[in-house]
Amino acid sequence: MKKVLLVAAAAAISMGSFSVQADGGAMYNNLGCSGCHGAGGKSVVPSYPSLAGKDAAWLVQQLKDFQTGARKDATMNAMAGMAAGHEQAIADYLAAQ
Ligand code: HEC
């Protein structure tokens, strides 16, 4: 058991450079963003914009603008609040899709 834990820890450390992306992807799915914006940010519904491959800094700014109300959309004003603290990780994930 101890050995298994050590191997898992080593694997987690060696994957360090990917962890932000993985976390962002998990957040994106767990918060339900994928329900509208599609798997990996590739929307299949015209009324929901695709987010895949968009500039990360721009994505972060949109989420902050939705949070403050500077950008208005009833759905996103609510959803962006759920992403608080994870904007950058989610944006990095989406930009890399
Ligand atoms: C219930 C559907 C729905 C969910 C769930 C949802 N969104 Fe959205 N999202 C929208 C709609 C609709 C728009 C377009 C709003 C507008 O026209 O300003 C949008 C716009 C955006 C934009 C701006 C994109 C652009 O091209 O202007 C970003 C970034 C975004 N959403 C991120 C997220 C993230 C991150 C989550 C999860 C925390 C999320 N959304 C969850 C419906 C949704």
Side-chain angles (χ1 to χ4, degrees), residues 32-33 36-37 47-49 51 58-59 66 71 73 75-76 79:
C33 316
C36 290
H37 294 286
S47 49
Y48 303 134
L51 307 175
W58 180 83
L59 287 165
F66 281 128
R71 182 170 171 181
D73 177 75
T75 304
M76 280 310 303
M79 289 307 301

Side-chain angles (χ1 to χ4, degrees), residues 10-63:
I13 291 165
S14 69
M15 285 173 21
S17 58
F18 297 106
S19 65
V20 168
Q21 203 167 313
D23 290 348
M27 281 285 165
Y28 176 79
N29 290 319
N30 293 341
L31 291 176
C33 316
S34 55
C36 290
H37 294 286
K42 298 177 180 88
S43 174
V44 292
V45 183
S47 49
Y48 303 134
S50 274
L51 307 175
K54 297 271 165 79
D55 178 68
W58 180 83
L59 287 165
V60 169
Q61 191 58 53
Q62 302 317 302
L63 289 171

